[in-house]
Amino acid sequence: MIQGHGGNKQHLADRMGCRLEDIIDMSSNLNPLGPPERIHTFIRENIHLIHALPEPDAAGMSRGFAAYHGIDSGCVIAGNGTTFFIYSLPLALGAKKALILGPAYADYEDACATHHVKTCHCLTLAENNFVPDLDQLSAGAGQADLVFICNPNNPTGALIAKQDLETLIRRHTDTCFVVDESYLPFVPDAEGFSLVTQTHLPNLVVLSSMSKIFRIPGLRTGFLSGAKALIQKVMAHYQPWSVNALAQAVIKDIYNHPEDILPFYRQTREFIVKARRTFVHALAETDGILLFDTPVCFVLARLDWIPAPQLCRRVGDDRFLIRDCSNFKGLSRRFVRFSLKTNEINLALAQSIKTALALAREQG
Ligand SMILES: Cc1ncc(COP(=O)(O)O)c(C=O)c1O
């Protein structure tokens, strides 16, 4: 489904009468340090790859991911972004009723709707800092045959410990769990939270997006990993050449140089920790806005007296595009999300928000 997504850059550029590149897009959660330079160089030097068909099942790309994580390549499928899997899983797994740990990325629900799979939500609450109630989640999982968990969560940033997830997954063997780790590489000690290596769990699949951490959403690349029996079910719905030749080659090149990956992750994580601290500090004493703590590259905020669409419009006048979270189930017109960029930009946004809040208060 096309509607459930974030801010429309073109729309703001049209309203402001400016060029698309003059809009500061803080609505999409992408690595401010990405993409690594080698991706640009690689694409420039390998453009001829589009002259031939790539591997129909992108097996080489899957092998790169599998080798990096030390898992069997038969437990991995490479796709045209994780979106490709989100939309095929409800059908491939023959789901009847799905549970979504929310508020969450809207595509889980949209994908289920596409395949006429019923959905219900286990919603986390602002007053609990969006920390999931694991007992409630477990009770809901017992009633569903498919469960979507985004870890860390988009848009709240809430992160569930590996042990807690494993306990939940082992408790409900008749339920298939989809754990979306698309934002996990941003988290310090991400490796201690990841379920990618748990391919022995027969009712788990993990989604790993390349779009966010490497800042290549336009290339459309991601992975699904999990138990072989589930992989076979998903493969039964796989379309040949879903991942284009350049995309396959770029990802293979990344995994051919594993020595560069962890340093890039580390650099990103250190940058994000500092950037978030500076941004949160800049708004800490500001009346009318409450920021929720996250370990990722975006920050969710609750607004007291200015509705989200109004704040989006006001900061839009300064050419900042932020995410109005009104359309997330479990949130409301009181929530917005900011994706962090450089300190200079983040601080400029903080100033724009302060001005908008002060103005809104004055005007009652
Ligand atoms: C939580 C989450 N999962 C998956 C996706 C899809 O990303 P992609 O298809 O580029 O891998 C997004 C995109 O915003 C997301 O926020």
Side-chain angles (χ1 to χ4, degrees):
M1 217 168 285
I2 310 293
Q3 254 101 45
H5 297 97
N8 184 333
K9 211 169 162 184
Q10 186 65 54
H11 191 258
L12 181 56
D14 290 346
R15 176 163 82 79
M16 297 307 295
C18 68
R19 294 173 313 165
L20 206 58
E21 52 271 37
D22 294 331
I23 299 300
I24 305 160
D25 185 358
M26 301 178 82
S27 71
S28 307
N29 300 324
L30 299 169
N31 187 344
L33 300 189
E37 187 46 41
R38 69 171 306 118
I39 293 185
H40 281 178
T41 313
F42 185 89
I43 290 178
R44 267 197 306 271
E45 290 174 358
N46 290 280
I47 198 79
H48 61 274
L49 290 172
I50 62 169
H51 299 167
L53 278 170
E55 280 186 290
D57 57 358
M61 182 172 149
S62 298
R63 278 196 299 277
F65 180 87
Y68 181 74
H69 290 283
I71 57 177
D72 186 329
S73 60
C75 295
V76 179
I77 316 177
N80 179 20
T82 52
T83 302
F84 178 79
F85 298 116
I86 293 171
Y87 279 84
S88 52
L89 278 164
L91 178 66
L93 300 180
K96 300 269 178 293
K97 187 175 175 198
L99 176 75
I100 298 166
L101 176 63
Y105 185 52
D107 282 31
Y108 308 138
E109 186 171 11
D110 292 347
C112 289
T114 303
H115 300 294
H116 311 290
V117 175
K118 276 195 205 135
T119 49
C120 56
H121 285 75
C122 172
L123 293 175
T124 60
L125 303 172
E127 49 269 40
N128 298 336
N129 274 320
F130 295 105
V131 173
D133 177 333
L134 294 175
D135 292 333
Q136 196 191 349
L137 180 59
S138 180
Q143 308 291 312
D145 50 15
L146 181 63
V147 176
F148 283 95
I149 297 175
C150 187
N151 199 44
N153 178 276
N154 172 22
T156 66
L159 182 63
I160 307 178
K162 181 176 178 169
Q163 188 56 52
D164 289 337
L165 280 178
E166 277 201 46
T167 305
L168 181 73
I169 293 165
R170 286 181 198 277
R171 188 175 294 152
H172 299 284
T173 48
D174 292 336
T175 305
C176 182
F177 288 81
V178 180
V179 178
D180 184 345
E181 296 189 351
S182 292
Y183 294 102
L184 196 52
F186 290 95
V187 174
D189 187 29
E191 293 69 23
F193 286 89
S194 180
L195 293 179
V196 164
T197 55
Q198 308 307 91
T199 51
H200 53 276
L201 294 173
N203 56 335
L204 165 71
V205 294
V206 176
L207 302 179
S208 306
S209 180
M210 301 290 99
S211 304
K212 321 299 179 187
I213 188 68
F214 291 115
R215 198 166 208 262
I216 47 173
L219 205 57
R220 310 304 308 130
T221 51
F223 294 95
L224 177 145
S225 53
K228 274 192 186 151
L230 294 179
I231 294 290
Q232 279 162 12
K233 286 188 180 179
V234 178
M235 270 318 267
H237 293 265
Y238 196 91
Q239 293 173 16
W241 304 299
S242 307
V243 189
N244 74 69
L246 257 182
Q248 290 192 29
V250 166
I251 301 303
K252 279 197 278 188
D253 181 63
I254 289 177
Y255 287 118
N256 280 340
H257 295 87
E259 70 285 359
D260 290 350
I261 298 176
L262 212 49
F264 179 69
Y265 283 3
R266 272 202 210 106
Q267 196 192 358
T268 298
R269 291 167 189 174
E270 280 166 21
F271 181 88
I272 293 291
V273 166
K274 287 190 193 140
R276 200 176 47 241
R277 199 182 295 141
T278 308
F279 180 68
V280 170
H281 181 73
L283 286 169
E285 304 293 316
T286 309
D287 285 340
I289 185 165
L290 173 73
L291 303 186
F292 294 91
D293 198 19
T294 77
V296 280
C297 59
F298 51 84
V299 179
L300 182 71
R302 192 180 65 202
L303 306 166
D304 285 342
W305 58 74
I306 183 170
Q310 198 177 321
L311 181 69
C312 291
R313 192 171 174 88
R314 288 257 163 85
V315 300
D317 292 344
D318 292 332
R319 301 190 179 179
F320 291 110
L321 182 67
I322 60 169
R323 178 69 155 96
D324 175 345
C325 293
S326 315
N327 64 348
F328 279 94
K329 194 161 276 176
L331 296 181
S332 67
R333 284 162 63 85
R334 293 282 164 209
F335 290 88
V336 284
R337 193 193 63 203
F338 317 110
S339 184
L340 297 166
K341 291 202 170 285
T342 62
N343 269 339
E344 194 188 346
I345 295 176
N346 300 338
L347 290 175
L349 173 66
Q351 191 50 52
S352 177
I353 293 169
K354 284 184 188 182
T355 309
L357 289 171
L359 210 71
R361 185 164 229 185
E362 255 172 53
Q363 292 171 349

